[in-house]
Amino acid sequence: MSSIFTKVDPEVLPILDELRRREPIFHTPEFGLTAIEIERATAPEYWEVGASGRRYSREFILAWAKDSLAHFVAAQDAGWQTADFGLRRLGPDTYLLTYTLDQAGRRTRRATIWQSTETGWRILYPQGTLIAAEEDDAIPA
């Protein structure tokens, strides 16, 4: 894999360490599992695109989280693996975190826009994309 996809400037390595512990979101205790924690960790204008292509509003996610124990899958307990992390500073307090998530054979590329605030880290936008081809920088046939 080309290092351009996983490039991390040395000055943001401590931030990478903080953020990678919070991923995958909604599946790690470090991110938060309750509706209150998820509300605190997502921006008011939050919405997402899942790997399925479906869009989810913050309101939908918070309603889902109220019953989170019924839905919660702990990534570590399920054997999910993360790899190929990259981090890019987008602004003074805003970062794009990218990585690959393997959910027992279901592989996706993930991108999360994180913002550092006075009250901690919060997500502005995440997106997942199913990996249909392993070749990077290749023109599809």
Side-chain angles (χ1 to χ4, degrees):
M1 173 181 296
S2 173
S3 63
I4 192 167
F5 301 119
T6 58
K7 183 177 182 337
V8 179
D9 290 329
E11 71 270 5
V12 298
L13 284 173
I15 294 167
L16 175 63
D17 289 340
E18 283 184 56
L19 295 179
R20 70 186 301 168
R21 288 192 304 268
R22 298 171 185 273
E23 297 279 359
I25 60 170
F26 310 130
H27 300 285
T28 60
E30 290 84 352
F31 173 79
L33 304 177
T34 68
I36 292 170
E37 290 171 315
I38 291 171
E39 184 173 20
R40 187 179 312 121
T42 56
E45 63 276 9
Y46 172 98
W47 63 281
E48 71 175 73
V49 174
S52 66
R54 289 186 182 112
R55 293 181 291 184
Y56 299 97
S57 66
R58 184 175 189 242
E59 292 73 26
F60 177 88
I61 296 295
L62 292 175
W64 171 84
K66 288 182 181 176
D67 190 25
S68 66
L69 292 179
H71 303 294
F72 179 69
V73 174
Q76 186 174 16
D77 295 344
W80 296 358
Q81 300 292 316
T82 56
D84 305 327
F85 279 91
L87 184 69
R88 177 180 295 177
R89 184 188 306 265
L90 299 178
D93 300 315
T94 307
Y95 300 85
L96 172 63
L97 178 73
T98 58
Y99 65 99
T100 301
L101 175 63
D102 187 324
Q103 296 168 286
R106 181 181 184 259
R107 298 183 67 232
T108 54
R109 304 255 189 249
R110 299 287 169 152
T112 308
I113 299 175
W114 287 93
Q115 182 179 52
S116 178
T117 70
E118 292 178 7
T119 59
W121 288 102
R122 70 178 181 178
I123 297 176
L124 301 178
Y125 176 81
Q127 183 163 344
T129 303
L130 287 171
I131 298 174
E134 292 297 327
E135 305 87 21
D136 291 321
D137 283 345
I139 297 173

